[in-house]
Every structure is written in C-alpha cells, then in structure tokens.
Amino acid sequence: PYRCSGVACGDGDKGERYMGVCDKDGCDLNAYRMGALQHYGAGEHFEVDSNKPMTVVTQFITDAGNGTNATDGDLVEIRRFYIQDDKIVSHASSSVPGVEGNSITDEFCTAQKKAFQ
C-alpha cells in the first residue's frame, strides 16, 4: 500500500487538489450523465429495464489483446454491456459534445473531464 504525505495527498483546502498522486475527479461510465436519458431505468420504455433481471458484464481490456496472457498487459479500456431477455444491450454512447464513446479509455476520461470542468 501507498501512503501519501504532504503535497502528494492533494489537499484541496491548501489548493493542492490536482498536485497529488490520485485522480480526484475520477472517470465514470454513467449513461444518464452522458446524455442517454432512456438507456437505464424502471419501465419498458428504457433500453435496459431495471424492473427485470439482467446480467451486467464489465470487461477489462489490456494492450496484450485477447490471448491467454491478456492479464499481463496494461489496462487500456473498460467496457460494459447488459444481457436482458436473451439480448445483448451495449452501453449507451455519449451525446455530450466533445465526449465520444461508450467505454472508459484515457481519451474518453480526458474529454469527460474537459466537458464537466
């Protein structure tokens, strides 16, 4: 485990929030926040109906590809999709100007942070 000290902790009260080792803002994959208001919720009018059973699949993609040693690489993308009523439903794509995609990548996170400054 890493224990920060001083500026490395990114103390916001001292104006050091972005000087620390952690990504304080983070990055998320939230369809509603990214403009897909009808993607997930209670009722048949949503792409994914939260009233019904579903399976949520999250994939961690590395630069090692899909081979047997895929866990040896660096993380480059996080994908999510849903399985409901025997159908695969992809995560909704962003409709926020300047933020493209429906998975977490370095490019997606950079654009998301810029859009929500």
Side-chain angles (χ1 to χ4, degrees):
Y2 175 81
R3 184 176 179 102
C4 68
S5 63
V7 175
C9 295
D11 188 340
D13 291 337
K14 295 179 181 177
E16 300 169 347
R17 177 178 175 87
Y18 297 105
M19 297 177 191
V21 296
C22 295
D23 180 358
K24 298 286 185 158
D25 296 331
C27 184
D28 63 82
L29 198 56
N30 181 325
Y32 191 89
R33 182 164 101 113
M34 300 312 293
L37 308 184
Q38 298 300 312
H39 180 66
Y40 182 92
E44 293 182 7
H45 59 284
F46 289 96
E47 291 177 84
V48 179
D49 184 350
S50 62
N51 288 328
K52 296 180 178 181
M54 75 185 87
T55 300
V56 180
V57 179
T58 304
Q59 297 174 312
F60 297 89
I61 311 300
T62 69
D63 59 7
N66 294 323
T68 57
N69 293 323
T71 58
D72 291 342
D74 291 331
L75 181 65
V76 294
E77 183 178 11
I78 301 172
R79 296 179 192 158
R80 180 181 304 145
F81 64 89
Y82 308 84
I83 303 171
Q84 188 171 61
D85 296 331
D86 295 322
K87 291 184 273 182
I88 295 174
V89 180
S90 296
H91 190 79
S93 291
S94 169
S95 63
V96 173
V99 186
E100 295 181 10
N102 66 348
S103 64
I104 294 177
T105 63
D106 286 344
E107 295 80 16
F108 181 88
C109 292
T110 299
Q112 186 184 63
K113 285 182 184 194
K114 186 176 181 182
F116 291 106
Q117 283 182 347

